């Protein structure tokens, strides 16, 4: 079975991935948290974000189509995936409890 499509990036995340390296180049030795803080400041000061919002909208359309195809080809539904995840978590918790009791 094919892998579940990944959720699309937001307009901010698309923009951030394109600008991250230039922020690092402009500020050598900057920490990751400082890169993010600087990027947030730049993003808030931008007046025209339409390019990135359009890219995000396109990515979301592609994701919706991919999800439709995924589900049509037998992909799990969200409910099935959550039940599976919960059961795996409960098994892991039980195993940890057994180990801690020893």
């Amino acid at each position: 079975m094919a892998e579940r499509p990944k959720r699309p990036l937001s307009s901010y995340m698309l923009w951030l991935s394109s600008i991250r390296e230039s922020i690092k180049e402009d500020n050598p030795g900057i920490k990751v948290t400082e890169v993010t803080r600087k990027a947030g400041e730049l993003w808030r000061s931008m007046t025209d974000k339409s390019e990135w919002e359009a890219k995000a909208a396109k990515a979301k359309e592609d994701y919706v189509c991919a999800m439709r195809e995924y589900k049509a080809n037998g992909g799990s539904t969200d409910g099935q995936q959550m039940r599976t995840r919960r059961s795996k978590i409960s098994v892991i918790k039980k195993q940890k409890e057994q180990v801690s009791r020893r």
Side-chain angles (χ1 to χ4, degrees), residues 10-19 39 42-43 46 52:
S10 66
S11 53
Y12 171 73
M13 292 305 291
L14 288 168
W15 172 81
L16 179 60
S17 64
S18 73
I19 196 91
L42 292 171
W43 177 255
M46 285 177 60
W52 301 103

Side-chain angles (χ1 to χ4, degrees), residues 48-56:
D48 184 20
K49 300 175 186 175
S50 59
E51 173 189 352
W52 301 103
E53 290 166 349
K55 287 181 181 184

Side-chain angles (χ1 to χ4, degrees), residues 94-102:
K94 287 178 184 176
Q95 289 173 345
K96 286 182 179 179
E97 287 174 4
Q98 289 174 349
V99 169
S100 66
R101 288 181 189 163
R102 292 181 187 171

Side-chain angles (χ1 to χ4, degrees), residues 81-96:
Q81 191 173 20
M82 285 302 293
R83 282 190 294 276
T84 302
R85 190 175 299 150
R86 284 186 195 131
S87 66
K88 286 179 183 177
I89 290 171
S90 66
V91 168
I92 291 170
K93 284 182 180 178
K94 287 178 184 176
Q95 289 173 345
K96 286 182 179 179

